[in-house]
Amino acid sequence: GVPWGAGATMAALGQYLDAASAAVRAQEGAQLARLLDVANPDAMRAVTSALAENREVNLGALCQQRLPQPHDEVFAFHCQCLGAIAEGRAEDAFAAVTSTTQAFVKDFRLQETAWSLDALVNLVKAAKALAERADAALAAAGKKAGKLHDAGALLMLVYRNTANTSVQEKKRASLFLVVSLFKIYFKLNTLHLCKNLIAAVNLPTFPSFESFPSSQKVTYSYYVGRLAVFDDDYARAEKNLTYAFEHCSTRHPKNKKLVLRYLVPVKLILGRRPTKRLLDKYDLDEYKSVVECVRKGDVRELNDALQKHQVTFIMQGTFLVLEKLRDVATRALFQKTHAFCAAKNPQKANQVSLHVFAKALAWCGAGMDIDEVECVVANLIFRKLIKGYVSHKSRVVVLAKTGAFPPLS
């Protein structure tokens, strides 16, 4: 065939389909991937010029004449998709790429090698992008947008046919598909669907994590870390987000900053404070006052800092995590109160008067009555942030002789 897509302009649809036929017969994976790329300008020109000449052109018949089965069907749908994209018919374009992918998978499933895998990856990318475009068009028209949901089902079909196979090479795209599904589920807020995928990645039949490209491993770890944040599993969140941050290329500072938006709150909850240099480097100004308030145990200032950046934190999805820092800051204040009481009365070094703690809270501008103070301390004990018990009668907290303030992690 003619060297298609490498710069040679092919105006005629017939030549495009002949190039496709040659790629299929010779099992040229890279060439087939180029021909099935919706962003290929030569393919787009071939289809649009044919449609401009004859609106009624029978793509199915043309493809049948020039291509072996089932790729005649694959390319007929693909040409329909390119025509719909050119004319701005987003819903039709998504419907066509869905049909292209389904027809492709039917054949791919029967193949004993993975020669055409890169073409399938291109179709998956197109399906996700066109679903988002179709949903944007539907939303703009005041209609229900459900195409991204359909794209999720399509990707799951592709995933099953690349993962459940004895042909190891077909599994090369498994993590790419998992990450693509994560992106869809996060956008649709159907996070529970991620759990099965994580379980699949951890199975012994799944290819070694290290065998995948770095960018996919970083993105996977980022999403697993974010899921762990939602589950209040901060140790797992820290492990995955740290991996994502450390392995993310320095050429992508925006992505490193994105990871830090979740890693910083997690570190704070685990009692580890980021340096000012790190916050400066990635321009995370919204966290500077939060970090300082947690360090000082200044509950009121922390409330103010959270209030000030509330919209930002809510948009990022970190507000609920940061709310939990109130307990960390309160514990820091209680620790300082304990040090003060122990210095004043060394004989009762493991006792803290609730009245003195109430004064410390009032000094921070978080004044409350003694019963409320008792509730605050009881909550810290319940959450294992402090070891001890409250003596309601004498209004004192009796701390454990050892390890009264366990490590936060």
Side-chain angles (χ1 to χ4, degrees):
V2 190
W4 235 85
T9 53
M10 309 285 283
L13 183 58
Q15 286 173 299
Y16 167 61
L17 296 175
D18 286 344
S21 178
V24 169
R25 290 177 203 279
Q27 295 200 348
E28 288 175 1
Q31 174 73 328
L32 186 67
R34 273 195 296 275
L35 295 169
L36 282 174
D37 185 350
V38 291
N40 182 328
D42 297 335
M44 183 62 85
R45 261 196 302 278
V47 172
T48 50
S49 59
L51 287 170
E53 270 173 49
N54 176 13
R55 200 81 188 89
E56 305 304 311
V57 63
N58 187 335
L59 293 168
L62 257 177
C63 291
Q64 251 180 341
Q65 286 163 23
R66 292 172 183 267
L67 279 144
Q69 284 184 324
H71 285 90
D72 56 342
E73 198 184 352
V74 170
F75 274 88
F77 286 131
H78 185 62
C79 290
Q80 283 175 15
C81 178
L82 293 177
I85 291 171
E87 292 172 8
R89 293 181 282 112
E91 277 184 83
D92 291 345
F94 174 67
V97 77
T98 299
S99 299
T100 311
T101 309
Q102 287 167 338
F104 195 99
V105 166
K106 221 183 291 180
D107 174 64
F108 183 81
R109 192 169 55 212
L110 305 172
Q111 294 285 336
E112 287 183 11
T113 68
W115 75 270
S116 59
L117 184 63
D118 290 343
L120 183 54
V121 165
N122 276 350
L123 290 175
V124 164
K125 287 177 182 171
K128 183 176 170 290
L130 291 171
E132 287 173 342
R133 208 181 293 177
D135 276 349
L138 285 164
K143 295 177 184 168
K144 186 180 182 291
K147 301 301 173 191
L148 194 59
H149 176 272
D150 297 343
L154 180 70
L155 262 67
M156 204 63 214
L157 169 83
V158 175
Y159 174 75
R160 278 198 293 271
N161 284 287
T162 55
N164 304 336
T165 171
S166 56
V167 183
Q168 283 306 308
E169 185 56 20
K170 285 187 179 182
K171 298 182 180 186
R172 188 165 50 85
S174 295
L175 198 64
F176 160 75
L177 290 163
V178 167
V179 164
S180 301
L181 283 161
F182 276 175
K183 288 176 181 175
I184 289 173
Y185 296 155
F186 266 77
K187 202 154 190 183
L188 295 175
N189 202 20
T190 51
L191 302 183
H192 62 285
L193 295 174
C194 298
K195 297 270 164 61
N196 289 342
L197 291 170
I198 294 171
V201 172
N202 293 329
L203 285 173
T205 48
F206 199 86
S208 150
F209 190 69
E210 288 312 313
S211 68
F212 293 101
S214 182
S215 60
Q216 291 175 18
K217 291 187 290 189
V218 165
T219 312
Y220 175 80
S221 301
Y222 166 71
Y223 281 110
V224 172
R226 281 190 61 186
L227 280 167
V229 171
F230 289 122
D231 290 340
D232 292 341
D233 188 344
Y234 298 115
R236 192 160 68 100
E238 183 188 33
K239 182 182 164 217
N240 283 281
L241 292 169
T242 301
Y243 179 93
F245 181 72
E246 287 175 356
H247 291 81
C248 181
S249 167
T250 48
R251 293 196 309 275
H252 301 293
K254 262 190 178 161
N255 289 349
K256 284 182 96 76
K257 179 177 178 173
L258 198 60
V259 176
L260 282 176
R261 279 186 177 153
Y262 299 93
L263 185 53
V264 169
V266 166
K267 291 262 192 204
L268 285 170
I269 277 185
L270 294 174
R272 293 189 264 286
R273 290 190 294 275
T275 61
K276 186 178 178 298
R277 202 169 127 253
L278 182 80
L279 298 178
D280 282 337
K281 184 179 177 182
Y282 292 99
D283 200 20
L284 290 161
D285 292 345
E286 67 267 30
Y287 283 119
K288 285 179 187 170
S289 50
V290 172
V291 171
E292 191 52 22
C293 297
V294 171
R295 187 187 67 78
K296 290 193 304 192
D298 194 328
V299 184
R300 184 180 62 84
E301 290 252 325
L302 177 64
N303 282 338
D304 292 347
L306 293 180
Q307 210 61 42
K308 186 181 172 189
H309 301 288
Q310 186 173 357
V311 176
T312 309
F313 294 141
I314 288 172
M315 297 291 282
Q316 289 171 8
T318 54
F319 187 70
L320 292 177
V321 185
L322 290 164
E323 286 251 88
K324 291 178 180 155
L325 284 177
R326 288 198 177 103
D327 286 344
V328 179
T330 307
R331 172 181 125 133
L333 182 66
F334 186 82
Q335 225 166 337
K336 287 179 178 179
T337 309
H338 166 245
F340 171 78
C341 291
K344 277 194 78 176
N345 191 352
Q347 274 76 41
K348 293 185 175 176
N350 68 323
Q351 292 186 17
V352 180
S353 160
L354 285 178
H355 291 285
V356 176
F357 186 46
K359 281 179 189 166
L361 285 164
W363 178 76
C364 280
M368 54 184 85
D369 70 36
I370 200 72
D371 288 328
E372 286 176 296
V373 173
E374 189 173 318
C375 280
V376 166
V377 176
N379 180 49
L380 293 177
I381 293 169
F382 172 73
R383 298 205 50 212
K384 297 186 168 63
L385 294 170
I386 293 174
K387 266 190 183 163
Y389 64 91
V390 178
S391 166
H392 176 72
K393 196 169 140 215
S394 49
R395 299 287 193 180
V396 295
V397 183
V398 181
L399 293 170
K401 288 271 197 318
T402 55
F405 298 96
L408 289 167
S409 52

